[in-house]
Amino acid sequence: MKYNVIERGDDISKELTERFHALAAKQGMPRDEDRPDIVLSIGGDGTMLQAFHKYVDKLDHIAFVGIHTGHLGFFADWKPNELDHLASLMFNVATPEELHVVRYPVVEIEITTDKGVETHLALNEFTIRGIEVSLVARLHVNDEMFEMFRGDGICISSPAGSTAYNKSLGGAMVHPSLEAIQIAEIASINNRVYRTLGSSMILPKHHHCDIYPKAQQNMLLSLDHKYMQRADVVSIRCRVASHVKVKFARFRPFPFWNRVREAFVGLEVK
């Protein structure tokens, strides 16, 4: 089984990376940056997002596993002092087919311009914001007009990303195994002209949301940690990706609601 490591760049992450390379070399586990079977993310959730986008075209082939070297990460199961234990478990897996993995849905974004259609994937969320002025856009759900939006922006999150920016916007936390996307408003303006739902909404798989921004509006779009400024967008379709999921290797159980409790409530069961 082939591996690669994506690390945050701080001293402890670099040290752990070198240690893992040394352990892997002793066990004869080959490193392959182009087409690994498993990718070890050492850092925080931002590091995992970098790993996801680096291999976004190979998601069907790759499983991810994370070591967090800062605060508790939702994508990282392991602590720095557990590196040797994780490595021994990884070395006992001979083929990718033997890995125990969980598969989580991701957000698919189709951006239509006068030049054609671009397709992107997001692990956590996609956002659209106005630049200099408020975002003005029509929202359609399943090809039916739903609302006229004016405000700072709109956030479309995956279930795995529901604990991130979506939560700070008042959105619900959704178990990452559920195939859905969540739409949350960013500081909407409500008056007699612009009227929005005022709360987040969850769309299941096979449903979609279309965003039609005001023509030639200057906007800032984000796909997780990646940003792009655009003024050529005609429409944006958001839905659960139907053809691919992200895979995380599980070498021990770590229930999602335990992560939520430890991260936001602070209780640890002893």
Side-chain angles (χ1 to χ4, degrees):
M1 192 167 67
K2 299 173 293 184
Y3 83 96
N4 192 30
V5 178
I6 304 297
E7 52 93 3
R8 182 164 55 185
D10 59 294
D11 290 343
I12 186 171
S13 298
K14 290 179 179 179
E15 178 185 345
L16 290 172
T17 299
E18 292 305 314
R19 280 180 55 197
F20 187 86
H21 287 327
L23 292 170
K26 288 182 180 180
Q27 294 294 324
M29 186 178 189
R31 182 184 180 190
D32 188 334
E33 294 186 45
D34 295 326
R35 195 171 175 80
D37 300 305
I38 188 167
V39 172
L40 178 59
S41 166
I42 302 179
D45 281 349
T47 312
M48 184 63 78
L49 294 177
Q50 292 176 17
F52 172 84
H53 284 279
K54 178 178 177 64
Y55 294 107
V56 71
D57 296 327
K58 302 181 177 69
L59 295 181
D60 59 337
H61 179 74
I62 291 174
F64 299 90
V65 63
I67 296 177
H68 61 85
T69 55
H71 301 294
L72 176 65
F74 274 86
F75 293 125
D77 294 349
W78 299 85
K79 299 176 182 178
N81 62 2
E82 298 176 311
L83 174 66
D84 289 358
H85 181 40
L86 171 60
S88 66
L89 294 174
M90 290 176 64
F91 300 150
N92 284 331
V93 179
T95 66
E97 290 75 23
E98 296 177 22
L99 277 175
H100 174 65
V101 299
V102 293
R103 293 174 171 84
Y104 293 157
V106 296
V107 180
E108 180 180 281
I109 303 296
E110 288 184 354
I111 301 174
T112 300
T113 69
D114 291 335
K115 296 180 180 179
V117 179
E118 310 167 12
T119 302
H120 304 273
L121 297 177
L123 176 55
N124 260 359
E125 75 265 319
F126 165 79
T127 66
I128 174 173
R129 298 169 177 268
I131 296 179
E132 298 173 348
V133 297
S134 298
L135 173 70
V136 176
R138 286 183 291 116
L139 264 70
H140 289 214
V141 175
N142 295 338
D143 304 315
E144 295 283 345
M145 172 69 175
F146 186 80
E147 66 183 24
M148 191 70 184
F149 179 89
R150 183 175 183 180
D152 284 359
I154 299 168
C155 174
I156 310 290
S157 65
S158 70
S162 66
T163 58
Y165 188 31
N166 168 78
K167 182 181 181 298
S168 71
L169 297 173
M173 284 183 282
V174 180
H175 194 281
S177 65
L178 298 178
E179 295 184 285
I181 61 170
Q182 186 166 181
I183 306 167
E185 302 174 2
I186 307 173
S188 61
I189 298 171
N190 281 280
N191 53 36
R192 63 185 180 87
V193 178
Y194 301 98
R195 180 63 54 184
T196 66
L197 186 63
S199 66
S200 67
M201 55 191 292
I202 297 173
L203 301 185
K205 189 178 180 181
H206 306 309
H207 288 212
H208 60 269
C209 169
D210 292 314
I211 303 172
Y212 295 90
K214 184 179 178 181
Q216 298 180 331
Q217 186 168 189
N218 198 17
M219 299 175 298
L220 183 65
L221 310 182
S222 76
L223 292 154
D224 296 325
H225 64 296
K226 301 172 68 176
Y227 290 84
M228 49 186 166
Q229 187 171 330
R230 303 290 292 267
D232 61 344
V233 175
V234 175
S235 66
I236 301 171
R237 173 159 292 190
C238 313
R239 59 189 171 194
V240 178
S242 61
H243 63 290
V244 67
K245 290 184 177 181
V246 62
K247 296 189 296 184
F248 293 101
R250 286 287 184 264
F251 295 97
R252 65 180 179 188
F254 196 166
F256 172 73
W257 297 115
N258 287 12
R259 299 171 193 250
V260 171
R261 182 189 62 227
E262 291 182 20
F264 298 114
V265 181
L267 294 177
E268 293 189 29
V269 178
K270 298 183 179 179

